[in-house]
């Protein structure tokens, strides 16, 4: 059998987490997966997996083959991709992870247009409310909004993005407009649950002055579109990204509160595995994504 195919087969098992899941991924029967694994182990003269009813555990030899093999497969793919580039095209599969709302509104259209230009690239988009808690090694690019946590990923800025405190005009008329962040603690607020963050602690600054406010929330959701709609209906105050609320503010559906106070920016980032050695399709898509938001992102273009 082809050594590259053997390594890819083993990597598919590791990524899937089980032989059954690997069978689905590869379009094979469970018995065919088991038979191929046994043939590979016989060929190498080493057991690669310890298989029990509850879990799948790689042996030392299996782990070594996956780790070293993944590097070799990547180099192999990059070689053929470079050859393809010389002929004027990109090849391969690009796996992208993005947040739900931003992914639907901006990343999905960008991917569709990118793939239209590069017909030999297959793009797999995964939308998640917790992109940073996913198995990030599964993805070539992770689109992230906000502060970059400690990570082995390299971050590239895609677009600037502020965060605003907003409420419906009807709610402001009923409760009044707060003059300081502290007053938010007594107002009904709506929060977005994502990335296991402390979502009820809102932070602000004005010059050198800092304020942290613990808001009270009886409504929460993991989908930003839902909390924005609730806010437009006058159900509470939200702290939301500029990209999501700019249109509603412009249309008068939402009013920006505390304009003199600044919440931490939440720039749009693209996270990749490393600076050097990225496949051409990954580099090209990242540059394409950056260009989509220049010179101004859509949420600032109409100002």
């Amino acid at each position: 059998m082809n050594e590259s195919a053997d390594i890819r087969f083993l990597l598919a098992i590791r990524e899937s987490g089980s032989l059954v899941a690997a069978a689905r991924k590869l379009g094979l029967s469970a018995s065919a997966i088991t038979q191929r694994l046994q043939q590979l182990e016989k060929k190498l003269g080493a057991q690669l997996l310890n298989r029990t009813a509850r879990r799948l555990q790689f042996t030392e030899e299996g782990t070594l083959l996956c780790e070293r093999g993944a590097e070799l497969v990547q180099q192999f793919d990059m070689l053929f991709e470079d050859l393809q580039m010389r002929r004027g095209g990109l090849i391969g599969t690009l796996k992208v992870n993005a947040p739900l709302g931003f992914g639907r509104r901006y990343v999905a259209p960008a991917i569709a247009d990118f793939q239209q230009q590069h017909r030999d690239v297959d793009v797999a988009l995964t939308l998640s409310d917790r992109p940073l808690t996913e198995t990030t090694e599964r993805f070539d690019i992770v689109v992230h909004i906000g502060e970059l946590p400690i990570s082995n990923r390299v971050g590239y800025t895609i677009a600037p993005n502020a965060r605003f405190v907003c409420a419906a005009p009807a709610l402001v008329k009923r409760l009044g407009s707060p003059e300081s962040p502290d007053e938010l603690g007594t107002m009904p607020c709506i929060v977005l649950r994502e990335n296991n963050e402390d979502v009820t602690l809102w932070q602000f600054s004005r010059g050198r002055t800092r304020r942290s406010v613990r808001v009270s929330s009886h409504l929460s959701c993991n989908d930003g579109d839902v909390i924005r709609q609730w806010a437009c209906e006058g159900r509470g105050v939200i702290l939301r990204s500029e990209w999501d609320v700019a249109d509603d503010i412009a249309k008068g559906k939402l009013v920006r509160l505390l304009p003199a106070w600044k919440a931490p920016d939440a720039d749009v980032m693209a996270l990749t595995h490393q600076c050097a050695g990225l496949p051409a399709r990954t580099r090209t898509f990242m540059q394409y994504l950056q260009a989509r938001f220049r010179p101004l992102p859509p949420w600032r273009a109409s100002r």
Side-chain angles (χ1 to χ4, degrees):
M1 287 186 288
N2 180 281
E3 282 76 9
S4 173
D6 289 341
I7 294 172
R8 294 178 195 275
F9 168 71
L10 198 61
L11 291 173
I13 294 176
R14 184 179 69 169
E15 182 177 322
S16 301
S18 72
L19 295 182
V20 174
R24 288 196 298 267
K25 180 181 178 68
L26 297 174
L28 300 173
S29 66
S31 60
I33 287 284
T34 301
Q35 184 179 11
R36 183 172 176 182
L37 179 59
Q38 290 172 345
Q39 290 173 346
L40 179 57
E41 290 177 328
K42 182 179 180 180
K43 175 183 176 181
L44 297 174
Q47 185 175 354
L48 302 176
L49 293 172
N50 289 320
R51 301 179 283 281
T52 66
R54 291 188 175 182
R55 58 181 302 186
L56 198 65
Q57 184 175 19
F58 280 81
T59 64
E60 185 176 343
E61 290 79 7
T63 300
L64 177 62
L65 186 58
C66 283
E67 292 177 351
R68 297 286 297 276
E71 297 174 5
L72 294 174
V73 166
Q74 183 182 39
Q75 293 175 11
F76 186 81
D77 288 345
M78 288 176 61
L79 171 61
F80 275 83
E81 191 171 343
D82 287 343
L83 291 175
Q84 182 72 13
M85 282 289 289
R86 290 174 180 268
R87 296 169 53 197
L90 297 175
I91 61 172
T93 300
L94 179 67
K95 299 179 181 179
V96 181
N97 186 293
L100 289 170
F102 189 85
R104 280 194 297 262
R105 194 179 305 183
Y106 293 111
V107 180
I111 284 177
D113 292 343
F114 178 81
Q115 201 283 324
Q116 190 76 13
Q117 296 178 22
H118 304 281
R119 299 295 187 119
D120 292 326
V121 177
D122 297 330
V123 188
L125 173 63
T126 299
L127 300 181
S128 171
D129 61 330
R130 298 180 179 182
L132 292 186
T133 61
E134 300 275 358
T135 306
T136 57
E137 297 305 315
R138 294 168 44 203
F139 303 101
D140 302 300
I141 290 180
V142 175
V143 178
H144 173 65
I145 299 177
E147 183 179 355
L148 182 61
I150 298 175
S151 171
N152 60 354
R153 290 250 173 174
V154 180
Y156 300 87
T157 300
I158 298 298
N161 175 56
R163 292 198 298 170
F164 299 152
V165 179
C166 305
L171 182 71
V172 176
K173 183 178 180 179
R174 187 171 79 249
L175 300 180
S177 182
E179 296 183 2
S180 74
D182 296 334
E183 295 179 41
L184 294 174
T186 62
M187 301 181 71
C189 295
I190 307 170
V191 298
L192 175 67
R193 303 189 310 271
E194 58 182 356
N195 288 325
N196 293 328
E197 297 173 354
D198 187 352
V199 295
T200 61
L201 184 64
W202 293 2
Q203 300 182 23
F204 302 90
S205 65
R206 186 175 64 180
R208 296 182 178 180
T209 304
R210 302 286 186 271
R211 287 285 188 276
S212 294
V213 181
R214 179 69 68 181
V215 300
S216 175
S217 174
H218 295 293
L219 285 173
S220 67
C221 185
N222 66 334
D223 190 325
D225 285 346
V226 172
I227 72 164
R228 179 175 52 80
Q229 182 60 38
W230 283 342
C232 289
E233 294 170 358
R235 301 181 188 279
V237 179
I238 59 172
L239 174 61
R240 195 70 186 107
S241 280
E242 175 186 8
W243 70 260
D244 192 31
V245 296
D247 284 348
D248 287 325
I249 292 175
K251 295 174 182 177
K253 295 181 179 180
L254 291 173
V255 177
R256 185 180 174 187
L257 307 178
L258 300 169
W261 290 86
K262 180 178 176 60
D265 287 337
D267 291 343
V268 183
M269 308 286 292
L271 310 182
T272 64
H273 290 290
Q274 61 223 0
C275 295
L278 288 175
R281 60 182 176 273
T282 303
R283 295 195 308 270
T284 303
F285 177 71
M286 186 171 61
Q287 294 163 0
Y288 177 83
L289 200 58
Q290 289 175 318
R292 296 269 295 201
F293 296 94
R294 291 175 180 166
L296 289 174
W299 50 90
R300 293 187 180 179
S302 59
R303 288 186 183 180

